[in-house]
């Protein structure tokens, strides 16, 4: 039964009734992007012909944010630079709160923390600094 089916398929191909599989279409080539520092540079250093897009860094970043490649700047976490520009009194208050929390943890004598510190101390007694990677291999 299969031989008959294969012979019939070959006959259909010879007649051109049964089309061959087509190759998948080639993807469109990517367009290069010329990134400039600002709008003035975009106007001055444009390529002079409209076939290649020219955008500024801000436009490029905004486009990537919209596409979801880069994080949204309005939802970012505070950096050290942002903290430095804050009010110095507020920074001192935050540091005092952190110190108070550490002191409270020490006063409570958290058994898990004590056990962890003792275990680390014992490990350090038996493993001196520099005894590990003696041949400077990673």
């Amino acid at each position: 039964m299969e031989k008959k089916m294969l012979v019939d398929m070959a006959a259909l191909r010879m007649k051109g009734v049964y089309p061959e599989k087509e190759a998948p279409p080639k993807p469109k080539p990517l367009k290069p992007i010329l990134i400039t520092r600002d709008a003035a540079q975009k106007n001055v250093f444009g390529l002079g012909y409209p076939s290649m897009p020219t955008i500024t860094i801000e436009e490029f970043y905004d486009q990537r944010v919209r596409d979801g490649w880069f994080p949204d700047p309005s939802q970012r976490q505070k950096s050290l630079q942002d903290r430095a520009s804050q009010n110095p009194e507020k920074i001192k208050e935050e540091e005092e709160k952190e110190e108070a929390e550490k002191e409270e943890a020490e006063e409570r004598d958290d058994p898990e923390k004590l056990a962890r510190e003792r275990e680390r101390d014992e490990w350090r007694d038996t493993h001196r600094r520099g005894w590990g990677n003696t041949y400077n291999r990673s």
Side-chain angles (χ1 to χ4, degrees), residues 34 41-54:
L34 179 66
Q41 192 180 34
K42 175 181 172 181
N43 293 334
V44 172
F45 294 111
L47 293 178
Y49 52 91
S51 64
M52 183 179 248
T54 306

Side-chain angles (χ1 to χ4, degrees), residues 98-110:
E98 289 176 6
E99 289 178 21
E101 289 174 4
K102 287 180 183 178
E103 288 177 11
E104 287 178 22
E106 288 177 8
E107 290 175 2
R108 281 186 262 137
D109 291 332
D110 187 19

Side-chain angles (χ1 to χ4, degrees), residues 58-74:
E58 290 82 17
E59 292 169 343
F60 177 75
Y61 187 80
D62 292 339
Q63 179 184 4
R64 292 295 181 160
V65 168
R66 277 182 305 209
D67 294 342
W69 286 57
F70 294 157
D72 190 9
S74 63

Side-chain angles (χ1 to χ4, degrees), residues 77-122:
Q77 296 178 352
K78 289 189 175 183
S79 65
L80 292 175
Q81 186 176 6
D82 292 339
R83 281 193 69 193
S85 64
Q86 287 180 349
N87 187 359
E89 294 173 5
K90 190 174 184 181
I91 294 172
K92 286 182 182 178
E93 289 176 9
E94 289 178 5
E95 290 174 355
E96 289 174 1
K97 286 180 184 178
E98 289 176 6
E99 289 178 21
E101 289 174 4
K102 287 180 183 178
E103 288 177 11
E104 287 178 22
E106 288 177 8
E107 290 175 2
R108 281 186 262 137
D109 291 332
D110 187 19
E112 293 175 9
K113 184 178 178 185
L114 285 174
R116 215 177 22 235
E117 289 176 356
R118 286 185 182 141
E119 187 176 319
R120 179 168 173 83
D121 187 45
E122 289 174 9

